[in-house]
Amino acid sequence: MAIGLFILAVIIQLAMVLAIFLLSLSRVTGSIVALVTVLVTAFISPWSLILGIPLALLCLVLLIAPLRQSLITKPVYKALGGAMPSMSDTEREALDAGTSWWEKELFMGAPDWDTFAQYPYPELSAEEQSFIDNEVEVLCAMLDEWKIQHEDKELSPEAWQFIKANGFLGLIIPKEYGGLEFSSYAQSRVMSKIASRSPTAAVTCMVPNSLGPGELLMHYGTDEQKQRWLPGLAKGEEIPCFGLTGSEAGSDAGAIPDTGVVCYGAHEGEQVLGLRMNFSKRWITLAPIATVVGLAFKMHDPEGLLGNPDKTDYGITCALVPASHKGVVTGPRHNPIGSPFMNGTVDGKDVFIPLDYIIGGVENAGRGWRMLMECLGVGRGISLPALSTSASEVTYLTVGAFAKVREQFKISVGKFEGVQDATSRMASNTYMLEAFRHLVTCGLNQGGTPSVMTAMAKYYATETMRMVVNDGMDVVGGRAVQMGPRNFLAIPYQAIPVSITVEGANILTRSLMIFGQGAMRCHPYLFDELQLLQSDDKEGALKQFDNLFFKHLGYTFNRGAKAFVAGYVGGSNHAPSFADGFTRPYYKDINRLSAGFALTADMSLGLLAGDLKRKEMLSGRLADIHSHLFICTAILQFYEYGSKSKAERLHAEVALKNSLYTIQEAFLSLFANFPNRMAASLVSFVTFPSGRIFAPVSDELKRQLGDTFMDDFEANPFRDYLKTMVYYNTEPDDVTGRMEHAYQTLLDVEPLWQKFKKAEHKDSFEGLTFEDHVVYASQNGDITEEEAEVLIQYNAIRFDSLLTDVFDKHLSKAQERTNPHSLENAVYKLTDYAQLKNDAQARNGIATNMTAENDVDSNDLATPVSTDKPTGDANPNHGYESDGDVEMVKEQDTIEEVRAQTDFDESEPEVEALDHRHRDAESHLSERMSNNHRLNQHNADDLEPSEISEDAENVKDDIDKPAATDPKWQDGLRRDESDKV
């Protein structure tokens, strides 16, 4: 009995502790509740004081301020102060730059789904939609990226003029200054569509609307500066660039060596106070053609000319300088991995500028780093994710089309499981990117500068795009490897490193920025604590730290309790009001993982402190967890506003499972590599008590999504949706339209094509070529003449879509590719194989396939095969006269007749196919084949064996000669004037 009461009392005490943490009671309230519980359990079992006395003593320490501060607060403050590295003003500004949004809810471990449900889903205004449907559409039609990259090495003058005249460089500028003032979502959509046609044009339009003078002026410029520059920037009369990166400063932009020293100098004929500038910038987009240059430099005032002799170093400052200003040198171009967008250098030595060239005036001297961090953040969230999303969507469309059209081993390559392993990744990753774009621009539309969210967008969008395009290259293979104007994948593949590198290199972004800034911007207490730790007023800071530190502890224990409960019973059931049966379990998973992340982040920050800055692998894993929690919510929001079709649900399910599995593996890898093994084991036990809870995506789901990847319209509404996101066309001579044209044609003829190919693969038809098989099937009545023409037309389109480019020996000019299977050339692909085989079998008494014994399966073709079909002279499809007489060659075919039958621009095949009075290409091919068979057999009967051998050699020697213009080659077989019937 006593043992039972003891166990009960201990359970009550532990439950009380858990309840205090779960309810997040304050230090005072929680301590009082704990003391009362200890007293109550002591009456139940005195032995419970074994646990109760330590609890009571701890509560007393927490309640008595002098005791608490001397035993806990001061030692912690001293220890953390010594562990934290000193921060420069630049670092402090960088950490403090920007705002936070939904990512903060996920970081704190208790996402508010009611708030999430109220976020306005980004949509285009009528004006924005019109711009995309008209101006952007026209611009895209003007662009030929192969010509831009490999011939002109720049945009055409016509494209440049159109870009300038139609406001493409002023999307973000307010209407009062002549700009378009588009939303963040609209900017993203505009850039995506342009990028789907030409990455060069997209980068050209992207920079002025991202990191550039326009953005900085709008937020920080003086009224005079705005009036001076913004109207010209909006109209394209001014071309901006911004010089940040230099030879000694890449990712560590704070280390720029460029300087501006305050001094007096001459400007416009007057002596004014200004800056003597020395700078050398590289990799500056638009620099070779810029009319105005933004510059980041370190500002110094050694003589105290600005009025404060104690302040000589102001730090990073931004100024705006006309490119024509004396001493400024622009023009030399870089060649960024073959992508010819304007990119080059900006240099200047002892360039004097007045102080009013500083953006925002002298008041903003030294605030450049904060300005750049906030403006860079916005650009990272729009431009590069837009380009990445576009590249992935074009890859989805083109590779999906290729996977269905291209056949190997008698089936579409997209049906192979190895290929589906890649295409299912492509499909789910593209879905994720489009969802990601929507949630990020949703946050940007609401204002603010959420630097953490945009860093996530930049890194995970560009890295995911890299995976999608790489997978596409693997699926398309040789068709994607061979460069040329037909290649729809090589150019985006080639440009991947540019996106990975610019606006914050990806390695740096993941390993330092996302969690480093995330901890500062998203944690409720950390940044303020860090400020107090580095305060010069230690006594005053200690009092504030005492309050903050125990709030921080309460927060940590609350998240730990939530993670512990979730580990055993699952996450909270709290979800948005629109959650349904499919999405609700995922919200529960996010609640669980978010609480676990809050606890794990606090463990990492508390135990590693400043060392975490150097533990970049651990920091990178924390970034993966935080970012994929955000990505999961993006997918769920996008799905909610989508079609909710079976196909879209499949995309969302695979994308969600991939992200959840990534989060889990990041957790476990962090625990396995955390320096403090005891703490890592404890937190691992709390968050994952039963080990792994998420499995990789199953093979069955991959197969289903791989099949869906090749579908369109109702079968895959997401693919249909993607057509509205990019420059979409089905032009047969266009780089992307060619593949889509073949794909859409296949969708129209697929039942006939599949049945015909099935019969063909069963060797149901005689002949050596596809055209032989079509004619054979038509002659036997297995398909109609109209169906034969459809098959020949599609085969020609299919073949053309798979052709790669060829060049002259110097690789300077792509040569025109001829299509041997086109309607014009198909007649020359016929052979006499079937007749020769039939005759040989007849001579040897073997039943032939050209008799009523034909074994074509009636289920394999649209038209059942008749078993009592007339053969030989009695079969009108063979081209013989009913009485067995044969027409002379000159009576059957003339050059004019060949041209009339094959020139479908003139003969209108679509009309003729519906009119039985017209002879179409199929009937013409049928007659030609039968005539060729008859002719060869008749000639063979009249010739000696040696003559037959000689004639065969002539055919072999001349097989590659053109047939269209030489009457000797009208039927694809050699004929001499001496041929006699």
Side-chain angles (χ1 to χ4, degrees):
M1 183 66 179
I3 294 176
L5 291 174
F6 170 70
I7 294 173
L8 175 62
V10 170
I11 291 175
I12 292 173
Q13 291 175 348
L14 293 175
M16 172 272 301
V17 173
L18 183 61
I20 290 173
F21 292 155
L22 282 174
L23 297 173
S24 195
L25 299 181
S26 68
R27 173 172 49 83
V28 175
T29 303
S31 297
I32 293 173
V33 169
L35 287 171
V36 171
T37 304
V38 168
L39 291 174
V40 171
T41 53
F43 283 104
I44 296 174
S45 172
W47 288 102
S48 66
L49 292 173
I50 295 174
L51 178 60
I53 289 175
L55 283 175
L57 291 174
L58 178 60
C59 291
L60 290 173
V61 169
L62 295 176
L63 289 170
I64 302 171
L67 199 60
R68 180 182 69 250
Q69 290 179 7
S70 62
L71 293 178
I72 300 176
T73 306
K74 287 182 180 179
V76 171
Y77 184 83
K78 184 177 180 180
L80 290 177
M84 288 291 180
S86 61
M87 272 198 306
S88 65
D89 291 339
T90 298
E91 288 178 310
R92 187 175 288 106
E93 283 193 355
L95 291 174
D96 193 32
T99 59
S100 57
W101 189 60
W102 176 244
E103 70 278 13
K104 183 171 184 176
E105 293 283 335
L106 296 166
F107 189 100
M108 291 173 60
D112 185 346
W113 296 113
D114 295 330
T115 298
F116 181 77
Q118 293 172 7
Y119 287 147
Y121 191 68
E123 295 178 339
L124 297 173
S125 68
E127 180 186 5
E128 292 165 344
Q129 185 68 64
S130 175
F131 187 82
I132 290 173
D133 293 341
N134 294 285
E135 284 85 348
V136 178
E137 185 79 10
V138 171
L139 175 61
C140 288
M142 298 170 67
L143 301 170
D144 181 344
E145 188 67 3
W146 175 263
K147 190 172 186 294
I148 292 169
Q149 289 212 13
H150 297 275
E151 296 177 19
D152 298 341
K153 307 296 183 182
E154 61 179 328
L155 295 177
S156 67
E158 296 78 14
W160 261 116
Q161 181 57 35
F162 190 85
I163 287 170
K164 294 176 182 178
N166 288 275
F168 283 88
L169 305 183
L171 300 180
I172 64 172
I173 295 176
K175 291 183 178 180
E176 62 183 291
Y177 297 106
L180 295 176
E181 200 173 350
F182 280 178
S183 67
S184 297
Y185 177 61
Q187 295 173 48
S188 176
R189 287 284 303 275
V190 169
M191 295 306 161
S192 276
K193 188 164 184 176
I194 299 172
S196 70
R197 191 62 172 170
S198 167
T200 303
V203 172
T204 300
C205 296
M206 176 184 84
V207 170
N209 294 292
S210 179
L211 173 62
E215 180 83 15
L216 292 168
L217 284 171
M218 285 164 49
H219 290 285
Y220 307 105
T222 65
D223 290 339
E224 291 79 9
Q225 289 171 336
K226 292 177 182 179
Q227 293 293 341
R228 164 66 179 87
W229 293 109
L230 289 180
L233 291 170
K235 296 175 184 177
E237 295 169 355
E238 301 284 359
I239 305 297
C241 72
F242 193 89
L244 175 60
T245 307
S247 56
E248 300 294 337
S251 297
D252 182 13
I256 56 177
D258 311 289
T259 59
V261 179
V262 180
C263 64
Y264 283 96
H267 178 69
E268 296 181 350
E270 297 182 6
Q271 283 291 113
V272 298
L273 191 60
L275 296 166
R276 185 176 67 253
M277 305 279 293
N278 286 280
F279 50 88
S280 180
K281 305 291 188 180
R282 61 177 177 176
W283 307 335
I284 311 304
T285 301
L286 297 186
I289 57 170
T291 62
V292 55
V293 179
L295 290 171
F297 58 94
K298 286 184 176 178
M299 180 170 159
H300 305 276
D301 183 16
E303 300 179 74
L305 296 177
L306 294 180
N308 186 355
D310 295 329
K311 188 172 184 179
T312 58
D313 296 325
Y314 280 77
I316 295 176
T317 303
C318 296
L320 208 56
V321 183
S324 58
H325 192 82
K326 183 179 179 181
V328 177
V329 179
T330 63
R333 291 180 64 180
H334 294 305
N335 186 5
I337 208 162
S339 186
F341 60 88
M342 288 294 171
N343 187 269
T345 60
V346 179
D347 294 282
K349 182 175 177 60
D350 293 329
V351 176
F352 180 80
I353 65 171
L355 287 177
D356 59 10
Y357 278 15
I358 296 174
I359 297 177
V362 179
E363 292 77 9
N364 274 346
R367 296 188 62 207
W369 189 236
R370 183 186 184 95
M371 293 160 59
L372 290 171
M373 288 300 97
E374 293 181 345
C375 291
L376 269 172
V378 175
R380 276 197 296 261
I382 298 175
S383 300
L384 289 172
L387 268 63
S388 299
T389 301
S390 171
S392 298
E393 290 174 345
V394 171
T395 302
Y396 185 115
L397 292 169
T398 53
V399 176
F402 175 89
K404 190 173 185 69
V405 170
R406 175 65 163 157
E407 296 181 0
Q408 292 284 270
F409 305 103
K410 303 181 180 180
I411 61 173
S412 294
V413 297
K415 285 288 186 181
F416 290 95
E417 286 194 6
V419 172
Q420 289 178 335
D421 191 33
T423 57
S424 63
R425 274 197 308 273
M426 295 173 65
S428 60
N429 281 333
T430 303
Y431 188 86
M432 181 274 277
L433 284 173
E434 187 61 46
F436 201 11
R437 182 240 295 272
H438 274 76
L439 188 56
V440 170
T441 53
C442 173
L444 293 173
N445 280 348
Q446 293 188 296
T449 54
S451 54
V452 178
M453 178 187 74
T454 53
M456 292 177 180
K458 192 275 174 179
Y459 175 80
Y460 291 94
T462 54
E463 287 294 340
T464 302
M465 175 268 292
R466 173 160 38 187
M467 289 190 287
V468 172
V469 176
N470 279 343
D471 279 333
M473 291 290 292
D474 288 347
V475 172
V476 180
R479 174 71 172 84
V481 168
Q482 298 298 332
M483 292 290 288
R486 289 173 169 265
N487 195 317
F488 51 81
L489 268 184
I491 286 175
Y493 175 80
Q494 193 173 350
I496 287 173
V498 175
S499 297
I500 298 297
T501 303
V502 300
E503 293 195 15
N506 275 11
I507 290 177
L508 168 79
T509 302
R510 174 180 177 264
S511 60
L512 283 178
M513 292 181 62
I514 294 175
F515 185 73
Q517 280 194 314
M520 294 298 111
R521 303 309 311 156
C522 299
H523 196 286
Y525 307 110
L526 187 62
F527 183 74
D528 292 334
E529 289 174 331
L530 191 59
Q531 297 285 79
L532 292 173
L533 288 171
Q534 300 205 349
S535 173
D536 294 330
D537 181 12
K538 298 300 182 182
E539 185 175 346
L542 183 62
K543 292 180 180 178
Q544 297 180 58
F545 183 80
D546 179 59
N547 184 46
L548 273 179
F549 177 69
F550 284 99
K551 285 184 177 180
H552 188 162
L553 281 180
Y555 162 84
T556 302
F557 286 126
N558 172 259
R559 273 34 178 190
K562 287 185 174 181
F564 178 78
V565 173
Y568 287 91
V569 301
S572 165
N573 288 318
H574 190 205
S577 55
F578 52 66
D580 57 22
F582 168 65
T583 60
R584 191 171 296 278
Y586 292 108
Y587 287 111
K588 190 171 183 178
D589 289 333
I590 293 170
N591 288 333
R592 172 181 180 173
L593 294 170
S594 179
F597 174 63
L599 175 64
T600 305
D602 257 16
M603 173 194 71
S604 302
L605 291 166
L607 296 179
L608 295 180
D611 284 343
L612 188 57
K613 184 178 180 179
R614 291 176 288 275
K615 298 289 185 182
E616 295 182 7
M617 295 183 188
L618 297 181
S619 179
R621 294 183 182 106
L622 290 165
D624 290 340
I625 297 169
H626 193 190
S627 300
H628 276 278
L629 284 171
F630 189 93
I631 287 169
C632 282
T633 62
I635 295 168
L636 290 167
Q637 184 202 55
F638 187 67
Y639 174 80
E640 175 60 30
Y641 288 91
S643 66
K644 293 190 176 181
S645 62
K646 180 180 178 182
E648 184 165 355
R649 178 175 295 191
L650 187 59
H651 282 79
E653 183 176 5
V654 174
L656 286 164
K657 287 182 178 295
N658 281 333
S659 282
L660 291 174
Y661 185 74
T662 299
I663 292 169
Q664 171 185 266
E665 296 307 299
F667 266 118
L668 298 179
S669 294
L670 184 140
F671 296 146
N673 291 279
F674 199 78
N676 189 320
R677 303 304 307 136
M678 181 180 295
S681 299
L682 177 61
V683 176
S684 177
F685 172 74
V686 170
T687 52
F688 290 91
S690 59
R692 285 179 168 83
I693 56 176
F694 302 111
V697 176
S698 68
D699 290 353
E700 178 56 30
L701 276 179
K702 291 180 182 179
R703 284 192 292 268
Q704 291 178 27
L705 187 53
D707 286 338
T708 302
F709 181 71
M710 296 185 290
D711 291 333
D712 203 357
F713 305 114
E714 294 84 359
N716 185 6
F718 181 64
R719 187 182 197 277
D720 223 24
Y721 168 85
L722 292 184
K723 300 173 192 175
T724 67
M725 296 291 108
V726 301
Y727 180 73
Y728 175 81
N729 74 96
T730 57
E731 295 298 323
D733 293 326
D734 184 80
V735 60
T736 55
R738 181 180 289 108
M739 198 74 246
E740 186 69 8
H741 176 59
Y743 172 76
Q744 294 296 339
T745 304
L746 174 57
L747 294 183
D748 290 338
V749 306
E750 189 169 16
L752 172 64
W753 177 257
Q754 293 300 334
K755 289 180 180 180
F756 180 83
K757 294 298 287 185
K758 182 178 179 182
E760 186 181 48
H761 295 153
K762 288 185 177 181
D763 295 325
S764 301
F765 311 129
E766 296 290 359
L768 298 179
T769 67
F770 175 84
E771 286 76 9
D772 283 349
H773 296 166
V774 171
V775 169
Y776 186 93
S778 176
Q779 289 173 342
N780 281 353
D782 300 326
I783 57 176
T784 65
E785 293 180 357
E786 290 80 8
E787 289 172 334
E789 181 176 313
V790 166
L791 289 170
I792 291 173
Q793 284 179 319
Y794 169 67
N795 188 56
I797 293 169
R798 177 199 65 81
F799 186 84
D800 182 70
S801 74
L802 300 175
L803 283 175
T804 53
D805 292 285
V806 294
F807 294 79
D808 59 88
K809 66 178 181 179
H810 300 294
L811 296 178
S812 59
K813 188 173 180 59
Q815 298 178 349
E816 185 177 351
R817 298 303 310 266
T818 57
N819 187 348
H821 297 286
S822 66
L823 283 168
E824 293 79 2
N825 296 328
V827 65
Y828 307 117
K829 297 292 291 183
L830 295 173
T831 71
D832 59 356
Y833 174 84
Q835 188 65 44
L836 292 173
K837 179 180 178 181
N838 181 71
D839 293 344
Q841 290 176 334
R843 286 195 299 271
N844 290 284
I846 301 173
T848 70
N849 284 338
M850 298 185 71
T851 69
E853 307 301 324
N854 194 293
D855 62 352
V856 177
D857 187 344
S858 62
N859 292 323
D860 290 345
L861 292 166
T863 305
V865 179
S866 172
T867 57
D868 57 354
K869 191 186 310 313
T871 60
D873 293 354
N875 185 349
N877 283 333
H878 283 184
Y880 294 109
E881 300 289 342
S882 57
D883 60 359
D885 294 335
V886 179
E887 293 179 331
M888 298 293 289
V889 170
K890 63 183 179 180
E891 294 174 328
Q892 295 177 23
D893 301 295
T894 64
I895 294 177
E896 290 74 15
E897 184 180 0
V898 172
R899 290 174 178 168
Q901 294 298 327
T902 58
D903 188 354
F904 280 80
D905 288 336
E906 179 180 341
S907 58
E908 299 182 347
E910 294 182 2
V911 176
E912 294 177 6
L914 300 176
D915 190 341
H916 297 293
R917 293 173 297 176
H918 288 284
R919 294 167 60 200
D920 58 16
E922 184 279 331
S923 61
H924 185 59
L925 291 176
S926 297
E927 292 181 11
R928 287 189 177 283
M929 182 171 183
S930 59
N931 291 338
N932 288 339
H933 290 175
R934 168 187 46 72
L935 176 65
N936 286 329
Q937 182 59 47
H938 187 83
N939 289 343
D941 291 341
D942 292 342
L943 295 174
E944 294 297 325
S946 60
E947 294 176 309
I948 294 175
S949 175
E950 180 180 354
D951 194 54
E953 284 299 318
N954 291 335
V955 172
K956 179 180 178 182
D957 291 341
D958 294 332
I959 195 166
D960 291 328
K961 290 184 179 179
T965 58
D966 188 345
K968 295 180 182 180
W969 289 88
Q970 289 176 10
D971 294 322
L973 294 173
R974 187 171 183 226
R975 284 182 177 165
D976 295 324
E977 293 297 327
S978 59
D979 287 346
K980 303 296 181 182
V981 178

